[in-house]
Amino acid sequence: MRIDERIQQHYSELGPQEQKAADTLLDRLGDLAVYNAAELAQLSGVSKATMSRLFRRLGFADFSEVKEHTRSLRTSGVPLARQEGDGRLPLHLAQEQQNLDRLFDTLGDDRLLKVAQQLAEARNVLLIGFRNSFPVALHLRQQLLQCRSSVNLAPQPGQSVGEELAGLDGNDVVVLLGFRRRPDRFHHVLRAATATGASTILIGDPSARWLSADASLWIECPVEGSAAFDSYASAMSLMSVLANGVLAAKGRSGRDRVLEITGVFDSLEEIERR
């Protein structure tokens, strides 16, 4: 059980001092790495013995186990509360820059060219993204459709993935966006996509690295945030880089499609012109 679930389960059984300590833990789950047990007890207004007793009531041997537990939760993408203070924007900016640096240090021009050519030359491109990966996949589809046709997105609202995979073969490419807190059966979808014979490109944060052996190509894209929630700035930057690479790889046909779509926009008066 997660620590917050353990606290909820035992809260009514705790004494007043232990409840104060538990409240402090819940308020600072995302900040525990910067405290020791004595400092946490002082913040709670309780004794160190009370804090240690609470840890044991919750099933932890000591504060080190609590820290390791919350660290594993954060790594899996669970948003943990933090007491935010001064310097939030500089910390956010520093984390965003670190994510971008890590992404593009591993991507490189050669790998980017390979991915862009695959996406440009494929008969069909299928983008798969669940939960928080879905808007990233949706954005990539919107960008790719500017310069090539036959770009599909799954799952559609209320639909499943199976019918989208049926009929794909070695002429097609499936891009799977697998950022953390994925559905439990995500790896089955990846294996099913690979079984079609299509090339599979897996894009995800480090928690998806264990899945990369089942993909034709793996791109690691960190989404670590400076506070409770993940940030997708690096993911969206990668989508832009990939779309630009596909447009360049398509050459004349890509540029012609951009002009054609722009003309349709004008005829339908869909896009503001000023």
Side-chain angles (χ1 to χ4, degrees):
M1 294 177 66
R2 298 192 314 268
I3 186 172
D4 56 318
E5 293 175 319
R6 300 184 198 194
I7 291 174
Q8 184 178 24
Q9 183 182 56
H10 294 287
Y11 195 83
S12 62
E13 306 165 6
L14 301 176
Q17 292 296 97
E18 289 176 324
Q19 287 183 349
K20 287 177 63 177
D23 290 339
T24 300
L25 274 180
L26 289 174
D27 288 342
R28 298 177 181 271
L29 286 180
D31 296 322
L32 293 186
V34 303
Y35 296 110
N36 58 42
E39 291 170 334
L40 203 59
Q42 185 177 16
L43 283 170
S44 305
V46 303
S47 68
K48 186 177 177 181
T50 298
M51 186 63 73
S52 297
R53 187 165 59 250
L54 173 64
F55 297 152
R56 291 193 295 272
R57 290 281 295 271
L58 297 177
F60 299 101
D62 52 29
F63 189 40
S64 296
E65 277 197 8
V66 176
K67 283 187 175 183
E68 183 59 34
H69 174 72
T70 56
R71 187 180 297 113
S72 67
L73 291 178
R74 188 66 194 97
T75 300
S76 69
V78 177
L80 300 178
R82 294 185 178 183
Q83 293 292 319
E84 297 181 345
D86 294 336
R88 286 174 291 176
L89 286 179
L91 286 173
H92 176 76
L93 179 59
Q95 184 64 62
E96 298 286 68
Q97 187 61 58
Q98 181 180 334
N99 288 347
L100 287 166
D101 289 342
R102 286 171 57 195
L103 166 64
F104 292 113
D105 282 346
T106 59
L107 184 58
D109 287 336
D110 291 341
R111 293 188 72 209
L112 173 61
L113 179 61
K114 180 180 179 180
V115 176
Q117 287 178 333
Q118 283 185 309
L119 293 174
E121 296 170 3
R123 178 184 60 187
N124 298 294
V125 174
L126 175 63
L127 308 175
I128 298 178
F130 299 92
R131 304 189 74 250
N132 45 342
S133 297
F134 185 83
V136 183
L138 180 63
H139 180 67
L140 179 57
R141 179 178 185 268
Q142 187 275 333
Q143 299 285 55
L144 291 182
L145 278 176
Q146 304 294 311
C147 56
R148 61 151 297 150
S149 59
S150 300
V151 183
N152 300 311
L153 178 68
Q156 293 291 331
Q159 299 297 309
S160 54
V161 177
E163 58 265 44
E164 303 290 347
L165 292 175
L168 298 182
D169 58 30
N171 296 306
D172 306 309
V173 172
V174 181
V175 182
L176 299 103
L177 286 300
F179 294 105
R180 58 194 184 187
R181 309 201 86 184
R182 298 173 294 276
D184 190 48
R185 296 182 64 82
F186 180 85
H187 62 289
H188 292 292
V189 176
L190 171 58
R191 289 169 185 168
T194 301
T196 66
S199 296
T200 51
I201 300 170
L202 175 62
I203 301 173
D205 66 279
S207 72
R209 194 180 298 151
W210 70 278
L211 297 164
S212 60
D214 291 318
S216 307
L217 192 145
W218 157 246
I219 299 177
E220 188 166 307
C221 182
V223 293
E224 187 70 33
S226 62
F229 294 103
D230 288 342
S231 170
Y232 288 83
S234 62
M236 286 303 199
S237 181
L238 175 61
M239 299 305 104
S240 176
V241 168
L242 290 178
N244 279 300
V246 172
L247 176 59
K250 293 294 288 184
R252 176 69 177 272
S253 65
R255 295 192 297 272
D256 288 346
R257 181 171 171 84
V258 170
L259 291 175
E260 179 185 358
I261 291 173
T262 301
V264 176
F265 285 157
D266 291 342
S267 65
L268 295 176
E269 297 182 351
E270 287 188 315
I271 303 298
E272 184 179 79
R273 298 184 64 185
R274 60 173 172 175

